[in-house]
Structures are given as C-alpha cells and as structure tokens.
Amino acid sequence: MITDSRHAGERLGRWCGWVFVGTAVLTPLIAWLGPLAFAPLMGLAGLLCLPALRIGDEDRPVAVALLVGLVWAGMSASWSVHQGGALEDSVPLKLALQLPLYWAAWCGARRADPGLKRLALSIFAWGLAAIGLILFIEAVSGGAIYQALRAGIGDPTRPDLARKNLAQGSFAVALLWPVAAAGGVRAGRPWWLAVPMALGMGLLAYMFLSDAPVLSVGIALVAGLAVWLLPSLAPRLMGGAVAAYFVLEPVVFLGLRSLARGMNWDIQPPESWAQRLGYWSHALDAIAWHPIRGWGLDASREFSPGIILHPHNGALQLWLELGLVGVVCVALFWLFLLRRLSREGPDLAATAAMASASAYLLFGAVNFGVWQEWWLALGALACVIVGLMDGVNPASEARENRRSAAKTSTTTAFSG
C-alpha cells in the first residue's frame, strides 16, 4: 500500500511537472502577443492540477483570508449598484472559480517532479529573455514585428493600437522577470538572462509611454535587495507596511487633498496622472457614504464619468466596493503572504518573490482594476514560478550533488 501511494505521488508529480513545462512554453508568447490569454492559461493549469490541491498548516492563514474575502465579495454583489448581465460576465462566479483553480496551480507547482521543475524554470528564464530581446526590437522599430504578424494572419492593426497592446505585454514581463530570472539561476541557467528581460521591457515601456513598468524595475531591485540583506526582518516589515497601505489609503489621500486645497496648490500633472487624481478624489467622496460595507462588488463601473471602469488604485477600489470588511481581508492576505518570505539567511526565491510582489502592488496602485482576470492570473503565475523553485537546489548545490553521486558510483565500482 505504501508503495502504491508513493507511485501515485510520483505520477502526480510528473503530471504537474509537465503541466508547468507547457505553461512555461506558452508564457513568453502570451506576454508578447496577447496577455489576456493568461486567464485561460492559468485556469487550465489549475484544472489539470486539481488532484494536488492541499491546504497545509502554514497555508491556512492565507487561505482563510482569501476565503473570507471571497465570501464577503459574493455577499456584497447582492447590494452592488452594478448588476452584471450575462452569466459569463459575473465577477462573483469568476472569483469563485479562480480561487480554487489558482490555488491548485500553486500546489501543483510545489508538488511537481524536481527534474521537471528545473526544466520548466529553465524554459521560463530563456523564454522571457528571448521575449525581452523581441521587445527591444519592437521598441526600436515601433512594433514592426507585431504589426507584421497581425497582417500575416489577416488581422492588421493600426500602429497606435499595436503600441498599446505591446505596452500591455510589458507589464507581464515587468512582473515576471524577477522570479523567472531567479528560477533560472536555481535551475543552473546564467544570471545575466535577467538583463534582456528587464532591459527590453523597460525600453519598450519607455518608448511607448508606459511609466509604471519602467519605475517597477527600480522598485523591484530595492525591495529584493532589502530582503536579501535583511532576510528575516524585511518581509515582516514590508508585510506590515502593505497591510497599512490598504487600510489607511483613504485617510492618507484625504489628508493630502485637504492640505493641497488649504495651501491653494496649483498642481498641473500630465494628463494621465490628472485623470487618476480625479478618479481618486471621486472615490474618496463615494467611500465616505458606505465606509463599512462598501457599494458592492464591481460598483466602480457605475460612477462614470467621475470614475471610468475603476479608480486605478487597488486600495481605493476595495474601499469603494467592499468597504472596511473587504479591505481588512485583503490586508491580512498580503500580511500573511509576505511574512512567509521571512528566512534565516539570504534566499534567492524569497528575494525574487518580494521583487515581483512590489511590482504587482505598484501596478495595482496606479494601473489595473482589482478584478481584471488576466492580471489576477498573472499574479497567480508569479506565485507558481516561486512554487517551482521550492525544492530545486541552487546551481552550486546541484553541481556538488552530481560530484558526490559520481564519487559514490566510483567507490561502489572499486568496492565491487
């Protein structure tokens, strides 16, 4: 019976490993050509890894925060001022499916066969480095390769739309490059693969006027360096700071707005930032009406023209839609998640995870809506890559293990 159980575990590990080898192959192409496809990609990966779904003791705080938040979000849909139409557009239904599927994908990554983990991590590293080079060329050529591909399949697009689509893909590379590069090092691939990832993404974002991906490189490096230098303390401090950010965001913005009005500051930011400031101001006014329960899930869509789709700030959107109860759940989720990165000594996986987490939080604060499917899926993919690093020895340790195995084989041969 023990042997059968062990064989079943090995089969499941190999199955999950091949699932993420396939995921690694598709990820660079999706990041370049169609980031919206990350949602079905991660949904399929989670579905295939459902047999690996587990909630361990150390996972329970994160799982409880997510589950309570999901239940509250579903309840809030009943009083939301925005009522979705078709079933396929139901945000509560999508969230109810995403949570178990993405959790299963993360469990599958940790459960995968070590050899296939190493293969998947290598593909992620080389693949995103290759896409970094392509993005570099796209930046210099104004998106010529992308436009040629669209024309080749009979679906041509205008140059401005091509640049917009490519800029969206740069956010995917900006989020994934720290964990992909670190995973590659764990798998024995060269560290310099991070250079084309970050450089190509950063140049394209700069040339196509996307500020956040460029800024994220510096923020990711600073956050990662802090965790490397203070591996035990930094994740705890950052977890607390992120939790405080979600809870105190309206108070901070309200204070700044009052100060600006009291001092008669004449601030004239660029148009995109002026729009964001307008969204945030309208969100603050709406939050004051229902600070505890919020206006309901996806209610941001009903505040046009003051707010278009969402406030472009994750914390304010959560306050606006889910109120204090939902915000506390999200704050606890981030607190528990980031505290798990605390280590006794420097750890490459924890360092890279914090770097990608900082990029995710930055983009959530100024770019994307909380419930955007492809963006939630991309966050889950970053967690999956960190999960794949679990149990994969750094390259130096792997070489030492091979030397030890060779010595053991030689000794056995002579003994025989």
Side-chain angles (χ1 to χ4, degrees), residues 266-302:
D266 184 18
I267 302 174
Q268 296 182 347
E271 182 180 356
S272 61
W273 285 102
Q275 290 178 343
R276 288 181 174 89
L277 290 173
Y279 298 160
W280 298 346
S281 184
H282 281 88
L284 284 174
D285 294 336
I287 290 168
W289 286 93
H290 296 295
I292 305 300
R293 69 178 179 92
W295 289 84
L297 188 66
D298 220 22
S300 299
R301 293 177 177 272
E302 298 299 322

PDB file of all heavy atoms in Angstrom, residues 266-302:
ATOM      1  N   ASP A 266      -1.450  74.824  -6.892  1.00  0.00           N
ATOM      2  CA  ASP A 266      -1.896  74.705  -8.282  1.00  0.00           C
ATOM      3  C   ASP A 266      -1.074  73.616  -8.965  1.00  0.00           C
ATOM      4  O   ASP A 266      -0.035  73.884  -9.584  1.00  0.00           O
ATOM      5  CB  ASP A 266      -1.737  76.050  -8.995  1.00  0.00           C
ATOM      6  CG  ASP A 266      -2.292  76.004 -10.422  1.00  0.00           C
ATOM      7  OD1 ASP A 266      -3.077  75.072 -10.712  1.00  0.00           O
ATOM      8  OD2 ASP A 266      -1.920  76.874 -11.236  1.00  0.00           O
ATOM      9  N   ILE A 267      -1.521  72.388  -8.817  1.00  0.00           N
ATOM     10  CA  ILE A 267      -0.792  71.233  -9.351  1.00  0.00           C
ATOM     11  C   ILE A 267      -1.333  70.915 -10.742  1.00  0.00           C
ATOM     12  O   ILE A 267      -2.541  70.738 -10.924  1.00  0.00           O
ATOM     13  CB  ILE A 267      -0.953  70.014  -8.426  1.00  0.00           C
ATOM     14  CG1 ILE A 267      -0.447  70.352  -7.020  1.00  0.00           C
ATOM     15  CG2 ILE A 267      -0.207  68.810  -8.995  1.00  0.00           C
ATOM     16  CD1 ILE A 267      -0.690  69.251  -6.009  1.00  0.00           C
ATOM     17  N   GLN A 268      -0.437  70.857 -11.723  1.00  0.00           N
ATOM     18  CA  GLN A 268      -0.829  70.547 -13.090  1.00  0.00           C
ATOM     19  C   GLN A 268      -0.008  69.370 -13.602  1.00  0.00           C
ATOM     20  O   GLN A 268       0.956  69.543 -14.340  1.00  0.00           O
ATOM     21  CB  GLN A 268      -0.644  71.778 -13.986  1.00  0.00           C
ATOM     22  CG  GLN A 268      -1.539  72.939 -13.620  1.00  0.00           C
ATOM     23  CD  GLN A 268      -1.366  74.125 -14.552  1.00  0.00           C
ATOM     24  OE1 GLN A 268      -0.410  74.188 -15.329  1.00  0.00           O
ATOM     25  NE2 GLN A 268      -2.285  75.064 -14.485  1.00  0.00           N
ATOM     26  N   PRO A 269      -0.375  68.140 -13.207  1.00  0.00           N
ATOM     27  CA  PRO A 269       0.355  66.957 -13.644  1.00  0.00           C
ATOM     28  C   PRO A 269       0.032  66.622 -15.091  1.00  0.00           C
ATOM     29  O   PRO A 269      -0.899  67.205 -15.676  1.00  0.00           O
ATOM     30  CB  PRO A 269      -0.172  65.878 -12.696  1.00  0.00           C
ATOM     31  CG  PRO A 269      -1.562  66.314 -12.380  1.00  0.00           C
ATOM     32  CD  PRO A 269      -1.515  67.813 -12.347  1.00  0.00           C
ATOM     33  N   PRO A 270       0.765  65.687 -15.694  1.00  0.00           N
ATOM     34  CA  PRO A 270       0.417  65.226 -17.038  1.00  0.00           C
ATOM     35  C   PRO A 270      -1.019  64.696 -17.083  1.00  0.00           C
ATOM     36  O   PRO A 270      -1.592  64.329 -16.056  1.00  0.00           O
ATOM     37  CB  PRO A 270       1.436  64.109 -17.300  1.00  0.00           C
ATOM     38  CG  PRO A 270       2.577  64.430 -16.396  1.00  0.00           C
ATOM     39  CD  PRO A 270       1.985  65.056 -15.178  1.00  0.00           C
ATOM     40  N   GLU A 271      -1.580  64.635 -18.283  1.00  0.00           N
ATOM     41  CA  GLU A 271      -2.997  64.306 -18.433  1.00  0.00           C
ATOM     42  C   GLU A 271      -3.368  62.971 -17.790  1.00  0.00           C
ATOM     43  O   GLU A 271      -4.395  62.853 -17.110  1.00  0.00           O
ATOM     44  CB  GLU A 271      -3.372  64.285 -19.914  1.00  0.00           C
ATOM     45  CG  GLU A 271      -4.851  63.985 -20.146  1.00  0.00           C
ATOM     46  CD  GLU A 271      -5.205  63.962 -21.618  1.00  0.00           C
ATOM     47  OE1 GLU A 271      -4.318  64.243 -22.454  1.00  0.00           O
ATOM     48  OE2 GLU A 271      -6.370  63.647 -21.931  1.00  0.00           O
ATOM     49  N   SER A 272      -2.550  61.941 -18.013  1.00  0.00           N
ATOM     50  CA  SER A 272      -2.877  60.621 -17.467  1.00  0.00           C
ATOM     51  C   SER A 272      -2.930  60.646 -15.941  1.00  0.00           C
ATOM     52  O   SER A 272      -3.806  60.031 -15.320  1.00  0.00           O
ATOM     53  CB  SER A 272      -1.855  59.583 -17.940  1.00  0.00           C
ATOM     54  OG  SER A 272      -0.551  59.916 -17.490  1.00  0.00           O
ATOM     55  N   TRP A 273      -1.993  61.372 -15.330  1.00  0.00           N
ATOM     56  CA  TRP A 273      -1.986  61.470 -13.871  1.00  0.00           C
ATOM     57  C   TRP A 273      -3.091  62.386 -13.373  1.00  0.00           C
ATOM     58  O   TRP A 273      -3.646  62.171 -12.281  1.00  0.00           O
ATOM     59  CB  TRP A 273      -0.619  61.943 -13.384  1.00  0.00           C
ATOM     60  CG  TRP A 273       0.401  60.859 -13.454  1.00  0.00           C
ATOM     61  CD1 TRP A 273       1.366  60.711 -14.405  1.00  0.00           C
ATOM     62  CD2 TRP A 273       0.538  59.745 -12.573  1.00  0.00           C
ATOM     63  NE1 TRP A 273       2.104  59.579 -14.174  1.00  0.00           N
ATOM     64  CE2 TRP A 273       1.619  58.968 -13.056  1.00  0.00           C
ATOM     65  CE3 TRP A 273      -0.143  59.326 -11.436  1.00  0.00           C
ATOM     66  CZ2 TRP A 273       2.030  57.798 -12.425  1.00  0.00           C
ATOM     67  CZ3 TRP A 273       0.266  58.160 -10.806  1.00  0.00           C
ATOM     68  CH2 TRP A 273       1.340  57.413 -11.298  1.00  0.00           C
ATOM     69  N   ALA A 274      -3.435  63.392 -14.140  1.00  0.00           N
ATOM     70  CA  ALA A 274      -4.554  64.251 -13.762  1.00  0.00           C
ATOM     71  C   ALA A 274      -5.856  63.453 -13.728  1.00  0.00           C
ATOM     72  O   ALA A 274      -6.698  63.637 -12.838  1.00  0.00           O
ATOM     73  CB  ALA A 274      -4.672  65.410 -14.744  1.00  0.00           C
ATOM     74  N   GLN A 275      -6.019  62.541 -14.695  1.00  0.00           N
ATOM     75  CA  GLN A 275      -7.202  61.678 -14.694  1.00  0.00           C
ATOM     76  C   GLN A 275      -7.230  60.789 -13.462  1.00  0.00           C
ATOM     77  O   GLN A 275      -8.280  60.629 -12.818  1.00  0.00           O
ATOM     78  CB  GLN A 275      -7.216  60.820 -15.958  1.00  0.00           C
ATOM     79  CG  GLN A 275      -7.501  61.602 -17.232  1.00  0.00           C
ATOM     80  CD  GLN A 275      -7.454  60.728 -18.460  1.00  0.00           C
ATOM     81  OE1 GLN A 275      -6.930  59.619 -18.447  1.00  0.00           O
ATOM     82  NE2 GLN A 275      -8.004  61.231 -19.551  1.00  0.00           N
ATOM     83  N   ARG A 276      -6.080  60.231 -13.107  1.00  0.00           N
ATOM     84  CA  ARG A 276      -6.035  59.378 -11.925  1.00  0.00           C
ATOM     85  C   ARG A 276      -6.396  60.160 -10.656  1.00  0.00           C
ATOM     86  O   ARG A 276      -7.139  59.675  -9.809  1.00  0.00           O
ATOM     87  CB  ARG A 276      -4.646  58.751 -11.772  1.00  0.00           C
ATOM     88  CG  ARG A 276      -4.329  57.664 -12.785  1.00  0.00           C
ATOM     89  CD  ARG A 276      -2.946  57.084 -12.540  1.00  0.00           C
ATOM     90  NE  ARG A 276      -2.666  55.949 -13.407  1.00  0.00           N
ATOM     91  CZ  ARG A 276      -2.134  56.039 -14.602  1.00  0.00           C
ATOM     92  NH1 ARG A 276      -1.841  57.244 -15.099  1.00  0.00           N
ATOM     93  NH2 ARG A 276      -1.890  54.954 -15.314  1.00  0.00           N
ATOM     94  N   LEU A 277      -5.835  61.349 -10.526  1.00  0.00           N
ATOM     95  CA  LEU A 277      -6.141  62.165  -9.349  1.00  0.00           C
ATOM     96  C   LEU A 277      -7.632  62.468  -9.268  1.00  0.00           C
ATOM     97  O   LEU A 277      -8.218  62.499  -8.177  1.00  0.00           O
ATOM     98  CB  LEU A 277      -5.335  63.463  -9.391  1.00  0.00           C
ATOM     99  CG  LEU A 277      -3.820  63.325  -9.174  1.00  0.00           C
ATOM    100  CD1 LEU A 277      -3.122  64.671  -9.405  1.00  0.00           C
ATOM    101  CD2 LEU A 277      -3.519  62.808  -7.766  1.00  0.00           C
ATOM    102  N   GLY A 278      -8.249  62.680 -10.428  1.00  0.00           N
ATOM    103  CA  GLY A 278      -9.687  62.904 -10.450  1.00  0.00           C
ATOM    104  C   GLY A 278     -10.464  61.674 -10.010  1.00  0.00           C
ATOM    105  O   GLY A 278     -11.414  61.758  -9.226  1.00  0.00           O
ATOM    106  N   TYR A 279     -10.049  60.487 -10.515  1.00  0.00           N
ATOM    107  CA  TYR A 279     -10.696  59.240 -10.102  1.00  0.00           C
ATOM    108  C   TYR A 279     -10.573  59.051  -8.597  1.00  0.00           C
ATOM    109  O   TYR A 279     -11.536  58.662  -7.916  1.00  0.00           O
ATOM    110  CB  TYR A 279     -10.060  58.048 -10.813  1.00  0.00           C
ATOM    111  CG  TYR A 279     -10.175  58.048 -12.324  1.00  0.00           C
ATOM    112  CD1 TYR A 279      -9.307  57.279 -13.095  1.00  0.00           C
ATOM    113  CD2 TYR A 279     -11.149  58.795 -12.985  1.00  0.00           C
ATOM    114  CE1 TYR A 279      -9.406  57.258 -14.477  1.00  0.00           C
ATOM    115  CE2 TYR A 279     -11.252  58.773 -14.367  1.00  0.00           C
ATOM    116  CZ  TYR A 279     -10.371  58.001 -15.112  1.00  0.00           C
ATOM    117  OH  TYR A 279     -10.464  57.980 -16.479  1.00  0.00           O
ATOM    118  N   TRP A 280      -9.372  59.293  -8.071  1.00  0.00           N
ATOM    119  CA  TRP A 280      -9.140  59.059  -6.645  1.00  0.00           C
ATOM    120  C   TRP A 280      -9.976  60.006  -5.792  1.00  0.00           C
ATOM    121  O   TRP A 280     -10.494  59.610  -4.744  1.00  0.00           O
ATOM    122  CB  TRP A 280      -7.653  59.233  -6.337  1.00  0.00           C
ATOM    123  CG  TRP A 280      -6.769  58.254  -7.066  1.00  0.00           C
ATOM    124  CD1 TRP A 280      -7.177  57.115  -7.717  1.00  0.00           C
ATOM    125  CD2 TRP A 280      -5.362  58.332  -7.261  1.00  0.00           C
ATOM    126  NE1 TRP A 280      -6.103  56.479  -8.302  1.00  0.00           N
ATOM    127  CE2 TRP A 280      -4.972  57.201  -8.037  1.00  0.00           C
ATOM    128  CE3 TRP A 280      -4.381  59.237  -6.866  1.00  0.00           C
ATOM    129  CZ2 TRP A 280      -3.654  56.962  -8.398  1.00  0.00           C
ATOM    130  CZ3 TRP A 280      -3.062  59.001  -7.237  1.00  0.00           C
ATOM    131  CH2 TRP A 280      -2.700  57.867  -7.991  1.00  0.00           C
ATOM    132  N   SER A 281     -10.117  61.243  -6.238  1.00  0.00           N
ATOM    133  CA  SER A 281     -10.910  62.200  -5.484  1.00  0.00           C
ATOM    134  C   SER A 281     -12.380  61.799  -5.465  1.00  0.00           C
ATOM    135  O   SER A 281     -13.045  61.855  -4.418  1.00  0.00           O
ATOM    136  CB  SER A 281     -10.752  63.600  -6.096  1.00  0.00           C
ATOM    137  OG  SER A 281     -11.441  64.564  -5.337  1.00  0.00           O
ATOM    138  N   HIS A 282     -12.905  61.372  -6.605  1.00  0.00           N
ATOM    139  CA  HIS A 282     -14.292  60.905  -6.654  1.00  0.00           C
ATOM    140  C   HIS A 282     -14.478  59.655  -5.799  1.00  0.00           C
ATOM    141  O   HIS A 282     -15.515  59.497  -5.136  1.00  0.00           O
ATOM    142  CB  HIS A 282     -14.701  60.616  -8.098  1.00  0.00           C
ATOM    143  CG  HIS A 282     -15.055  61.835  -8.884  1.00  0.00           C
ATOM    144  ND1 HIS A 282     -14.133  62.575  -9.586  1.00  0.00           N
ATOM    145  CD2 HIS A 282     -16.255  62.456  -9.072  1.00  0.00           C
ATOM    146  CE1 HIS A 282     -14.736  63.588 -10.183  1.00  0.00           C
ATOM    147  NE2 HIS A 282     -16.022  63.551  -9.889  1.00  0.00           N
ATOM    148  N   ALA A 283     -13.486  58.769  -5.813  1.00  0.00           N
ATOM    149  CA  ALA A 283     -13.587  57.555  -4.996  1.00  0.00           C
ATOM    150  C   ALA A 283     -13.638  57.896  -3.512  1.00  0.00           C
ATOM    151  O   ALA A 283     -14.416  57.299  -2.756  1.00  0.00           O
ATOM    152  CB  ALA A 283     -12.406  56.632  -5.288  1.00  0.00           C
ATOM    153  N   LEU A 284     -12.827  58.860  -3.082  1.00  0.00           N
ATOM    154  CA  LEU A 284     -12.844  59.270  -1.678  1.00  0.00           C
ATOM    155  C   LEU A 284     -14.221  59.778  -1.267  1.00  0.00           C
ATOM    156  O   LEU A 284     -14.728  59.442  -0.188  1.00  0.00           O
ATOM    157  CB  LEU A 284     -11.801  60.356  -1.438  1.00  0.00           C
ATOM    158  CG  LEU A 284     -10.339  59.922  -1.356  1.00  0.00           C
ATOM    159  CD1 LEU A 284      -9.440  61.147  -1.270  1.00  0.00           C
ATOM    160  CD2 LEU A 284     -10.106  59.019  -0.171  1.00  0.00           C
ATOM    161  N   ASP A 285     -14.833  60.567  -2.123  1.00  0.00           N
ATOM    162  CA  ASP A 285     -16.158  61.095  -1.801  1.00  0.00           C
ATOM    163  C   ASP A 285     -17.187  59.975  -1.698  1.00  0.00           C
ATOM    164  O   ASP A 285     -18.055  59.997  -0.812  1.00  0.00           O
ATOM    165  CB  ASP A 285     -16.583  62.105  -2.868  1.00  0.00           C
ATOM    166  CG  ASP A 285     -15.714  63.359  -2.869  1.00  0.00           C
ATOM    167  OD1 ASP A 285     -15.117  63.668  -1.815  1.00  0.00           O
ATOM    168  OD2 ASP A 285     -15.616  64.009  -3.933  1.00  0.00           O
ATOM    169  N   ALA A 286     -17.095  58.980  -2.585  1.00  0.00           N
ATOM    170  CA  ALA A 286     -18.068  57.883  -2.562  1.00  0.00           C
ATOM    171  C   ALA A 286     -17.839  56.954  -1.372  1.00  0.00           C
ATOM    172  O   ALA A 286     -18.796  56.435  -0.781  1.00  0.00           O
ATOM    173  CB  ALA A 286     -17.980  57.095  -3.869  1.00  0.00           C
ATOM    174  N   ILE A 287     -16.573  56.731  -1.004  1.00  0.00           N
ATOM    175  CA  ILE A 287     -16.258  55.861   0.131  1.00  0.00           C
ATOM    176  C   ILE A 287     -16.893  56.387   1.408  1.00  0.00           C
ATOM    177  O   ILE A 287     -17.355  55.622   2.260  1.00  0.00           O
ATOM    178  CB  ILE A 287     -14.723  55.721   0.284  1.00  0.00           C
ATOM    179  CG1 ILE A 287     -14.149  54.887  -0.862  1.00  0.00           C
ATOM    180  CG2 ILE A 287     -14.361  55.090   1.626  1.00  0.00           C
ATOM    181  CD1 ILE A 287     -12.633  54.950  -0.950  1.00  0.00           C
ATOM    182  N   ALA A 288     -16.953  57.700   1.549  1.00  0.00           N
ATOM    183  CA  ALA A 288     -17.488  58.303   2.771  1.00  0.00           C
ATOM    184  C   ALA A 288     -18.947  57.935   3.015  1.00  0.00           C
ATOM    185  O   ALA A 288     -19.418  57.940   4.158  1.00  0.00           O
ATOM    186  CB  ALA A 288     -17.335  59.822   2.697  1.00  0.00           C
ATOM    187  N   TRP A 289     -19.691  57.582   1.962  1.00  0.00           N
ATOM    188  CA  TRP A 289     -21.100  57.231   2.127  1.00  0.00           C
ATOM    189  C   TRP A 289     -21.277  55.833   2.711  1.00  0.00           C
ATOM    190  O   TRP A 289     -22.221  55.584   3.467  1.00  0.00           O
ATOM    191  CB  TRP A 289     -21.807  57.314   0.768  1.00  0.00           C
ATOM    192  CG  TRP A 289     -22.052  58.716   0.319  1.00  0.00           C
ATOM    193  CD1 TRP A 289     -21.239  59.478  -0.477  1.00  0.00           C
ATOM    194  CD2 TRP A 289     -23.174  59.527   0.637  1.00  0.00           C
ATOM    195  NE1 TRP A 289     -21.769  60.715  -0.679  1.00  0.00           N
ATOM    196  CE2 TRP A 289     -22.979  60.791  -0.005  1.00  0.00           C
ATOM    197  CE3 TRP A 289     -24.329  59.343   1.396  1.00  0.00           C
ATOM    198  CZ2 TRP A 289     -23.892  61.818   0.104  1.00  0.00           C
ATOM    199  CZ3 TRP A 289     -25.239  60.383   1.481  1.00  0.00           C
ATOM    200  CH2 TRP A 289     -25.025  61.597   0.863  1.00  0.00           C
ATOM    201  N   HIS A 290     -20.406  54.881   2.341  1.00  0.00           N
ATOM    202  CA  HIS A 290     -20.539  53.496   2.824  1.00  0.00           C
ATOM    203  C   HIS A 290     -19.159  52.944   3.193  1.00  0.00           C
ATOM    204  O   HIS A 290     -18.631  52.053   2.514  1.00  0.00           O
ATOM    205  CB  HIS A 290     -21.185  52.605   1.758  1.00  0.00           C
ATOM    206  CG  HIS A 290     -22.588  52.985   1.407  1.00  0.00           C
ATOM    207  ND1 HIS A 290     -23.630  52.909   2.298  1.00  0.00           N
ATOM    208  CD2 HIS A 290     -23.119  53.458   0.252  1.00  0.00           C
ATOM    209  CE1 HIS A 290     -24.748  53.311   1.720  1.00  0.00           C
ATOM    210  NE2 HIS A 290     -24.462  53.656   0.471  1.00  0.00           N
ATOM    211  N   PRO A 291     -18.549  53.444   4.250  1.00  0.00           N
ATOM    212  CA  PRO A 291     -17.174  53.039   4.571  1.00  0.00           C
ATOM    213  C   PRO A 291     -17.052  51.622   5.127  1.00  0.00           C
ATOM    214  O   PRO A 291     -15.977  51.031   5.025  1.00  0.00           O
ATOM    215  CB  PRO A 291     -16.745  54.065   5.619  1.00  0.00           C
ATOM    216  CG  PRO A 291     -18.025  54.487   6.265  1.00  0.00           C
ATOM    217  CD  PRO A 291     -19.056  54.464   5.178  1.00  0.00           C
ATOM    218  N   ILE A 292     -18.096  51.053   5.679  1.00  0.00           N
ATOM    219  CA  ILE A 292     -18.004  49.725   6.295  1.00  0.00           C
ATOM    220  C   ILE A 292     -18.311  48.619   5.293  1.00  0.00           C
ATOM    221  O   ILE A 292     -17.523  47.686   5.129  1.00  0.00           O
ATOM    222  CB  ILE A 292     -18.956  49.610   7.505  1.00  0.00           C
ATOM    223  CG1 ILE A 292     -18.668  50.726   8.506  1.00  0.00           C
ATOM    224  CG2 ILE A 292     -18.789  48.231   8.169  1.00  0.00           C
ATOM    225  CD1 ILE A 292     -17.269  50.725   9.051  1.00  0.00           C
ATOM    226  N   ARG A 293     -19.437  48.717   4.617  1.00  0.00           N
ATOM    227  CA  ARG A 293     -19.833  47.632   3.707  1.00  0.00           C
ATOM    228  C   ARG A 293     -19.517  47.914   2.251  1.00  0.00           C
ATOM    229  O   ARG A 293     -19.491  47.005   1.430  1.00  0.00           O
ATOM    230  CB  ARG A 293     -21.328  47.338   3.843  1.00  0.00           C
ATOM    231  CG  ARG A 293     -22.242  48.447   3.325  1.00  0.00           C
ATOM    232  CD  ARG A 293     -23.695  48.030   3.470  1.00  0.00           C
ATOM    233  NE  ARG A 293     -24.627  49.057   3.011  1.00  0.00           N
ATOM    234  CZ  ARG A 293     -25.101  49.128   1.775  1.00  0.00           C
ATOM    235  NH1 ARG A 293     -24.694  48.258   0.872  1.00  0.00           N
ATOM    236  NH2 ARG A 293     -25.957  50.076   1.440  1.00  0.00           N
ATOM    237  N   GLY A 294     -19.233  49.167   1.886  1.00  0.00           N
ATOM    238  CA  GLY A 294     -18.939  49.492   0.505  1.00  0.00           C
ATOM    239  C   GLY A 294     -20.191  49.528  -0.360  1.00  0.00           C
ATOM    240  O   GLY A 294     -21.300  49.213   0.080  1.00  0.00           O
ATOM    241  N   TRP A 295     -19.992  49.892  -1.602  1.00  0.00           N
ATOM    242  CA  TRP A 295     -21.089  49.989  -2.562  1.00  0.00           C
ATOM    243  C   TRP A 295     -21.387  48.672  -3.261  1.00  0.00           C
ATOM    244  O   TRP A 295     -22.326  48.582  -4.053  1.00  0.00           O
ATOM    245  CB  TRP A 295     -20.756  51.042  -3.616  1.00  0.00           C
ATOM    246  CG  TRP A 295     -20.786  52.447  -3.103  1.00  0.00           C
ATOM    247  CD1 TRP A 295     -19.784  53.107  -2.452  1.00  0.00           C
ATOM    248  CD2 TRP A 295     -21.868  53.373  -3.196  1.00  0.00           C
ATOM    249  NE1 TRP A 295     -20.160  54.380  -2.131  1.00  0.00           N
ATOM    250  CE2 TRP A 295     -21.447  54.586  -2.582  1.00  0.00           C
ATOM    251  CE3 TRP A 295     -23.153  53.316  -3.738  1.00  0.00           C
ATOM    252  CZ2 TRP A 295     -22.256  55.706  -2.495  1.00  0.00           C
ATOM    253  CZ3 TRP A 295     -23.960  54.442  -3.662  1.00  0.00           C
ATOM    254  CH2 TRP A 295     -23.519  55.612  -3.047  1.00  0.00           C
ATOM    255  N   GLY A 296     -20.591  47.656  -3.003  1.00  0.00           N
ATOM    256  CA  GLY A 296     -20.833  46.356  -3.621  1.00  0.00           C
ATOM    257  C   GLY A 296     -19.830  46.016  -4.700  1.00  0.00           C
ATOM    258  O   GLY A 296     -19.201  46.896  -5.302  1.00  0.00           O
ATOM    259  N   LEU A 297     -19.660  44.739  -4.936  1.00  0.00           N
ATOM    260  CA  LEU A 297     -18.674  44.233  -5.894  1.00  0.00           C
ATOM    261  C   LEU A 297     -18.876  44.824  -7.281  1.00  0.00           C
ATOM    262  O   LEU A 297     -19.989  44.838  -7.811  1.00  0.00           O
ATOM    263  CB  LEU A 297     -18.762  42.700  -5.961  1.00  0.00           C
ATOM    264  CG  LEU A 297     -17.683  41.982  -6.758  1.00  0.00           C
ATOM    265  CD1 LEU A 297     -16.321  42.148  -6.097  1.00  0.00           C
ATOM    266  CD2 LEU A 297     -18.018  40.498  -6.895  1.00  0.00           C
ATOM    267  N   ASP A 298     -17.792  45.333  -7.851  1.00  0.00           N
ATOM    268  CA  ASP A 298     -17.760  45.889  -9.207  1.00  0.00           C
ATOM    269  C   ASP A 298     -18.576  47.170  -9.341  1.00  0.00           C
ATOM    270  O   ASP A 298     -18.895  47.599 -10.456  1.00  0.00           O
ATOM    271  CB  ASP A 298     -18.252  44.854 -10.225  1.00  0.00           C
ATOM    272  CG  ASP A 298     -17.427  44.866 -11.504  1.00  0.00           C
ATOM    273  OD1 ASP A 298     -16.276  45.338 -11.463  1.00  0.00           O
ATOM    274  OD2 ASP A 298     -17.932  44.414 -12.544  1.00  0.00           O
ATOM    275  N   ALA A 299     -18.911  47.806  -8.212  1.00  0.00           N
ATOM    276  CA  ALA A 299     -19.729  49.022  -8.250  1.00  0.00           C
ATOM    277  C   ALA A 299     -19.006  50.197  -8.890  1.00  0.00           C
ATOM    278  O   ALA A 299     -19.653  51.163  -9.310  1.00  0.00           O
ATOM    279  CB  ALA A 299     -20.159  49.400  -6.832  1.00  0.00           C
ATOM    280  N   SER A 300     -17.680  50.144  -8.980  1.00  0.00           N
ATOM    281  CA  SER A 300     -16.918  51.261  -9.557  1.00  0.00           C
ATOM    282  C   SER A 300     -17.399  51.619 -10.954  1.00  0.00           C
ATOM    283  O   SER A 300     -17.288  52.775 -11.383  1.00  0.00           O
ATOM    284  CB  SER A 300     -15.431  50.908  -9.610  1.00  0.00           C
ATOM    285  OG  SER A 300     -14.915  50.676  -8.321  1.00  0.00           O
ATOM    286  N   ARG A 301     -17.931  50.648 -11.676  1.00  0.00           N
ATOM    287  CA  ARG A 301     -18.365  50.877 -13.055  1.00  0.00           C
ATOM    288  C   ARG A 301     -19.534  51.855 -13.145  1.00  0.00           C
ATOM    289  O   ARG A 301     -19.820  52.382 -14.227  1.00  0.00           O
ATOM    290  CB  ARG A 301     -18.768  49.548 -13.696  1.00  0.00           C
ATOM    291  CG  ARG A 301     -17.602  48.584 -13.889  1.00  0.00           C
ATOM    292  CD  ARG A 301     -18.057  47.256 -14.447  1.00  0.00           C
ATOM    293  NE  ARG A 301     -16.948  46.360 -14.708  1.00  0.00           N
ATOM    294  CZ  ARG A 301     -16.253  46.314 -15.838  1.00  0.00           C
ATOM    295  NH1 ARG A 301     -16.566  47.133 -16.840  1.00  0.00           N
ATOM    296  NH2 ARG A 301     -15.269  45.474 -15.987  1.00  0.00           N
ATOM    297  N   GLU A 302     -20.223  52.065 -12.036  1.00  0.00           N
ATOM    298  CA  GLU A 302     -21.418  52.902 -12.061  1.00  0.00           C
ATOM    299  C   GLU A 302     -21.144  54.354 -11.668  1.00  0.00           C
ATOM    300  O   GLU A 302     -22.082  55.121 -11.473  1.00  0.00           O
ATOM    301  CB  GLU A 302     -22.477  52.311 -11.121  1.00  0.00           C
ATOM    302  CG  GLU A 302     -22.940  50.919 -11.514  1.00  0.00           C
ATOM    303  CD  GLU A 302     -23.582  50.895 -12.905  1.00  0.00           C
ATOM    304  OE1 GLU A 302     -24.301  51.857 -13.240  1.00  0.00           O
ATOM    305  OE2 GLU A 302     -23.329  49.932 -13.648  1.00  0.00           O
TER     306      GLU A 302
END
